[in-house]
């Protein structure tokens, strides 16, 4: 249920209604909007609660939340969530670009990547230190050493660092270095991991599982929100279909579809979505045309030498051209990057 507070409700009144909700055995998520505050009362529905809460003086009305994802739903929060970290701003009309190599490989590689993506206009640096690889024989990442190199790159460039965390045990370690925690596609339904990042005070970039339906994707986000972390970014990175010419199939309709259902920012990953570098610039521009809140793009100083995902990585020059192309599309739609 959504408990809509009266406009004049004070902080004390809001807290008192939240306590009342908790006493009923429900969880209370207070969502402060620009217009008024609502409290999402989440839990197994019993009889009479709606009536009791509607009767409270400071409550305007109580409405049921129809979607299975409660806190993520647009019904609960009608205004966009804006996620910020350093200069990265995603949502509410702000478009952020996260760029960098698939994996952190060396100090030279990550610093060179950071400098070139920053010069081209990216506001965050990506790079995996813990890599979920299909084969156990592939490069698994530099682990903590990689995290330290990312922090060095942030110190030099000011870019926010986005990096993946693969297990609940590593959340504390990764959060010490990262600005945004990435949950990889393979881990979208690792519920203990989702709950663990839900307890952290850093934004989370949640990638869609390649076989996940949109409701499953939103329910995965709900696991994070339910633990009290409101800063979740949804990332469409392509799904598995019968098509084998591209690595995955990148459904851009995900953007307007999600927009009608959730207030969370939506980012597109055209690199994993296609797996082919030449397809990345047009799909990045198309994602901007579809009104996404941000892009995450793989860029490597020398893609042919990359230890992971070289075939889909852009060179620095290709990335700069892609940014120009995206800016032109954004401008045509009255937005800016
Ligand atoms: C990555 O970002 O390098 C990655 C492994 O992505 P995904 O989880 O989408 O496959
Ligand atoms: Mn990758």
């Amino acid at each position: 249920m959504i408990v809509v507070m009266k406009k004049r409700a004070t902080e004390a009144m809001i807290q008192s209604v939240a306590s009342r909700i908790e006493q009923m055995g429900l969880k209370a998520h207070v969502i402060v909007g620009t217009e008024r505050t609502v409290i999402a009362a989440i839990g197994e529905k019993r009889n009479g609660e709606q009536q009791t809460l509607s009767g409270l003086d400071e409550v305007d009305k109580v409405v049921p939340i129809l979607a299975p994802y409660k806190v993520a739903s647009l019904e609960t929060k009608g205004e966009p969530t804006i996620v910020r970290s350093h200069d990265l701003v995603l949502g509410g009309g702000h478009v952020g670009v996260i760029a960098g190599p698939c994996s952190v490989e060396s100090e030279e590689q990550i610093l060179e990547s950071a400098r070139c993506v920053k010069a081209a206009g990216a506001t965050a640096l990506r790079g995996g230190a813990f890599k979920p690889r299909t084969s156990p024989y592939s490069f698994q990442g530099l682990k903590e050493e990689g995290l330290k190199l990312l922090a060095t790159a942030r110190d030099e460039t000011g870019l926010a660092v986005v990096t993946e965390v693969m297990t609940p045990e590593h959340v504390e370690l990764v959060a010490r270095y990262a600005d945004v925690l990435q949950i990889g596609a393979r881990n979208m339904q690792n519920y203990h991991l989702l709950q663990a990042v839900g307890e952290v005070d850093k934004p989370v970039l949640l990638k869609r599982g390649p076989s996940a339906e949109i409701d499953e994707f939103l329910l995965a986000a709900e696991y994070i929100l339910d633990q009290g972390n409101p800063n979740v970014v949804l990332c469409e990175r392509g799904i598995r279909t019968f098509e084998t010419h591209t690595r995955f199939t990148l459904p851009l309709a995900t953007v307007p579809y999600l927009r009608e259902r959730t207030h969370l920012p939506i980012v597109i990953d055209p690199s994993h979505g296609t797996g082919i570098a030449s397809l990345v610039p047009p799909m990045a521009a198309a994602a901007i045309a579809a009104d996404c809140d941000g892009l995450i793009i793989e860029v490597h100083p020398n893609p042919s030498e990359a230890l992971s995902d070289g075939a889909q990585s852009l060179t620095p020059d290709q990335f700069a051209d892609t940014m120009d192309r995206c800016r032109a599309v954004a401008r045509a739609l009255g937005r800016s990057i």
Side-chain angles (χ1 to χ4, degrees):
M1 288 173 289
I2 307 164
V3 180
V4 182
M5 301 297 295
K6 286 193 177 142
K7 273 192 182 164
R8 59 173 167 77
T10 61
E11 180 57 32
M13 289 170 177
I14 293 163
Q15 283 317 318
S16 123
V17 176
S19 313
R20 190 72 183 262
I21 291 169
E22 301 268 351
Q23 281 160 14
M24 291 169 161
L26 301 169
K27 207 160 178 175
H29 286 270
V30 177
I31 298 160
V32 183
T34 45
E35 281 289 298
R36 62 172 81 199
T37 296
V38 304
I39 308 174
I42 314 288
E44 220 54 68
K45 203 170 175 296
R46 270 164 280 154
N47 281 336
E49 293 142 344
Q50 184 166 349
Q51 212 175 0
T52 310
L53 292 168
S54 323
L56 298 179
D57 223 16
E58 50 276 44
V59 170
D60 183 9
K61 59 184 172 186
V62 180
V63 282
I65 309 170
L66 300 176
Y69 36 88
K70 306 295 178 191
V71 188
S73 168
L74 204 54
E75 297 168 70
T76 303
K77 185 181 174 196
E79 55 191 81
T81 289
I82 302 174
V83 172
R84 299 171 195 272
S85 181
H86 299 261
D87 290 340
L88 176 70
V89 189
L90 302 164
H94 304 272
V95 182
V97 179
I98 304 160
C102 179
S103 304
V104 181
E105 299 170 5
S106 67
E107 178 163 348
E108 196 188 1
Q109 175 248 17
I110 197 67
L111 286 178
E112 201 177 329
S113 304
R115 288 177 196 134
C116 79
V117 301
K118 168 137 180 151
T123 43
L125 174 68
R126 61 148 292 142
F130 290 93
K131 292 304 302 177
R133 304 305 301 282
T134 303
S135 163
Y137 307 117
S138 302
F139 176 59
Q140 303 284 313
L142 296 181
K143 312 204 165 68
E144 188 168 2
E145 182 53 28
L147 296 174
K148 288 184 180 162
L149 296 177
L150 285 165
T152 305
R154 173 186 48 228
D155 291 346
E156 189 194 300
T157 59
L159 291 169
V161 162
V162 182
T163 195
E164 178 160 354
V165 56
M166 285 172 57
T167 67
E169 298 74 46
H170 286 155
V171 168
E172 203 261 349
L173 171 74
V174 177
R176 221 182 298 148
Y177 297 97
D179 300 299
V180 177
L181 302 174
Q182 177 175 323
I183 300 295
R186 294 162 180 81
N187 268 320
M188 190 207 82
Q189 285 177 311
N190 181 340
Y191 299 119
H192 288 139
L193 179 60
L194 298 176
Q195 285 172 325
V197 296
E199 286 168 11
V200 168
D201 188 21
K202 297 260 164 105
V204 176
L205 180 92
L206 175 66
K207 291 192 145 196
R208 178 181 183 179
S211 310
E213 293 174 359
I214 298 257
D215 273 12
E216 293 170 322
F217 187 22
L218 286 166
L219 282 165
E222 190 78 9
Y223 266 90
I224 303 170
L225 298 167
D226 185 50
Q227 294 303 308
N229 187 343
N231 293 311
V232 178
V233 178
L234 300 169
C235 176
E236 172 61 83
R237 47 76 75 209
I239 52 173
R240 226 7 134 217
T241 68
F242 58 83
E243 183 55 78
T244 53
H245 289 86
T246 49
R247 187 176 178 191
F248 293 95
T249 296
L250 183 60
L252 290 180
T254 299
V255 180
Y257 189 87
L258 283 174
R259 189 75 78 209
E260 291 176 7
R261 284 159 183 81
T262 182
H263 50 88
L264 298 173
I266 307 152
V267 162
I268 292 290
D269 176 347
S271 306
H272 293 86
T274 61
I276 302 169
S278 64
L279 305 186
V280 171
M283 293 312 285
I288 297 292
D291 200 29
C292 68
D293 299 298
L295 296 166
I296 178 164
I297 298 181
E298 288 189 340
V299 180
H300 194 285
N302 187 356
S304 61
E305 305 266 293
L307 296 183
S308 61
D309 287 351
Q312 67 195 33
S313 298
L314 301 183
T315 63
D317 284 348
Q318 288 168 339
F319 177 65
D321 288 347
T322 304
M323 287 296 285
D324 287 343
R325 199 160 163 162
C326 289
R327 276 192 208 99
V329 175
R331 214 175 303 121
L333 295 171
R335 308 179 73 198
S336 64
I337 299 179

